[in-house]
Each structure stands twice: as structure tokens, then as C-alpha cells.
Amino acid sequence: LFLILISWPQEDFTNWLNSVGLLSILTTMNQSTVAIISLVACFGIAYRLSEGYGTDGPSAGIIALSSFVLMAPRFSSMVYDKNGEQVKQLFGGAIPFSSLNASSLFMAITIGLVTAEIYRMFIQRGITIKMPSGVPDVVSKSFSALLPGFTTFVLWALVLKGLEAAGVAGGLNGLLGAIVGTPLKLIAGTLPGMILCVIVNSFFWFCGVNGGQVLNAFVDPVWLQFTTENQEAVAAGQTLQHIITLPFKDLFVFIGGGGATIGLAIC
């Protein structure tokens, strides 16, 4: 909704929004929702997977969220001498919205899954700080999460520094994008690739398997990233970059739901 308002096709309306100071706040509101989808996905994946294992979902989700913030690409902070030469690069810096949107989904999925698995291993094997039986359950769960949380955070910190030492551009997100994202984009970003996905999806359904659940985990992050890039292009007044996106799939490929069941319902 916020994107529609700031991208309204009538220039007079957008000029009015800008004149009354609403355009900037609507842009920020749009960024604060759509542009943090990777952040939400990372927490949600770790939360639900841990719940499925019978462990504490919120604790795993918070650990995954903290790990994602640690691994997210940041603006570099440089220190220069009086001659303008760089003498030091400080760790940290601000995290741009571009590191939290759909472009970081593969990293969010990876961190969420790995964090939940580490948390499960510690909890189910009893490698935790145990509190006396009289301690409230909320407090006990907090202490139980300390060891898996510390281990997970140290692990991702080592991965981060290792990638920095290896000179990998973009850190973990850049690495996963090159290994996983690039091949999937070449497939899912074309019309033949979309047709192939539909055929494979239908084949799975023919075999009695939910094709959407099998394929969506692989191609939906790519299509969602394409959708985000189109949204950013619209907001910047630029030409759309992609035709094959997640809404394209929902509105033109699987119109009416799986198997185009809306036609059957109408008949």
C-alpha cells in the first residue's frame, strides 16, 4: 500500500505528497515493512523449526536474528590520515535496508536453519546451564539458551572473519548469492524457466506430492527478490527490471490457485 502511494502514476499527487512532507515518511514506512523481509524470515524460520523440534522457538529465533544482524553487509567505516590515505577499516557501521530485504533471503534461510539445528543439538543433548526446579520456567529457558546462543554467535563470527580474510565480496550473502542465487536466477528469471517450474510442479502433484512445497523453497526467494528490485525501480522512477516475479506467478501462472481451481469452482 505504501509503495502504491509513493509510486502513484499522477505526478500532481506525488508532488502534493512531497510538498506536505508525506512522501518521505511513506517511503520510510515502505522500507520498514517490505525492506526487512529477510530479517523477519530469519527469525521465523528458526522459531518454527525449533518449535517443530520441541525446543524453545523464541530463544532460537532471537539467536538467529542476532546472528543475521552480525552477518549482514554493512557500510564500511574508514579512517584516513591527513594525506587522504586509508589507514584503518573499522568493523561495523550502519546496516542498509538493502542488506535486510529480499536480496539477503538465502543468507536468512541459511542462518535460520543452521541456528535452529545448533540450538536443537544443545537442548536435546542437555548441553545447557541447568537451573534449580524452583526457578520460573521463563528464567530457566533464558539460561538454557546461553550456551547454544554463545556457540552459534561465535560460529557465525568466525565465518564472518574467515570470509573477510578470504576477500569474499559481500560476505556470506555474496557467497550464497554466487553459489545458489546466480544459477537459480538464470533458471527462474526466464520464461522457459518458469514453464519448467510449472511442469515440475505439476509432475509432483501428479505423483501425490505437494509440488508447491517442494519448489517454492528454491524459486520463491528468487522471484521475491525480483519483486523487490522492481519495487525499488518503481520508487526510483526507473524501468522495471524483471517480468518474471512472484506476483507474475500468482496472477498469471497459478491464477485461481493450484490447478486453476477457480474455473472448476465457477462451473
Side-chain angles (χ1 to χ4, degrees):
L1 178 60
F2 303 130
L3 180 64
I4 293 174
L5 290 175
I6 63 178
S7 307
W8 199 261
Q10 291 182 329
E11 188 175 350
D12 292 339
F13 179 72
T14 54
N15 289 338
W16 175 79
L17 288 177
N18 191 32
S19 64
V20 297
L22 289 177
L23 187 62
S24 59
I25 186 62
L26 287 173
T27 302
T28 303
M29 293 168 73
N30 177 62
Q31 291 175 331
S32 302
T33 51
V34 177
I36 62 168
I37 189 169
S38 290
L39 204 64
V40 176
C42 184
F43 176 86
I45 289 170
Y47 183 104
R48 289 302 182 186
L49 184 57
S50 295
E51 272 196 341
Y53 286 142
T55 55
D56 187 38
S59 296
I62 292 173
I63 295 171
L65 190 64
S66 301
S67 301
F68 180 87
V69 172
L70 171 68
M71 300 297 293
R74 303 165 182 259
F75 290 120
S76 298
S77 299
M78 307 293 185
V79 177
Y80 298 89
D81 60 16
K82 61 181 180 180
N83 297 322
E85 296 182 0
Q86 179 184 336
V87 295
K88 186 186 298 183
Q89 178 174 350
L90 301 178
F91 176 77
I95 302 176
F97 276 112
S98 59
S99 296
L100 307 178
N101 61 19
S103 63
S104 299
L105 265 178
F106 287 113
M107 184 176 73
I109 293 170
T110 302
I111 292 176
L113 292 175
V114 172
T115 300
E117 290 294 338
I118 294 175
Y119 188 81
R120 174 191 64 82
M121 181 185 69
F122 271 77
I123 298 299
Q124 292 183 351
R125 295 185 180 183
I127 311 175
T128 60
I129 298 176
K130 297 177 175 61
M131 302 298 291
S133 57
V135 175
D137 188 53
V138 175
V139 178
S140 179
K141 286 182 178 180
S142 299
F143 277 90
S144 296
L146 286 178
L147 286 181
F150 175 79
T151 304
T152 303
F153 215 58
V154 169
L155 171 66
W156 289 120
L158 292 174
V159 171
L160 176 64
K161 298 307 292 183
L163 292 174
E164 286 182 357
V168 178
L172 180 62
N173 190 42
L175 180 64
L176 292 174
I179 296 175
V180 182
T182 301
L184 285 177
K185 287 179 182 179
L186 293 176
I187 298 173
T190 62
L191 182 59
M194 170 64 80
I195 295 174
L196 177 63
C197 289
V198 174
I199 293 174
V200 173
N201 180 41
S202 301
F203 175 76
F204 276 121
W205 276 108
F206 178 79
C207 296
V209 178
N210 190 323
Q213 289 186 349
V214 175
L215 283 180
N216 289 351
F218 298 97
V219 293
D220 272 12
V222 176
W223 289 332
L224 187 57
Q225 183 175 344
F226 289 164
T227 305
T228 301
E229 291 175 1
N230 278 356
Q231 290 175 338
E232 293 174 350
V234 170
Q238 301 172 352
T239 305
L240 299 184
Q241 303 178 38
H242 307 284
I243 297 176
I244 310 298
T245 61
L246 198 58
F248 178 90
K249 181 198 75 169
D250 294 333
L251 297 176
F252 296 103
V253 179
F254 294 113
I255 181 173
T261 50
I262 189 173
L264 179 62
I266 293 175
C267 293

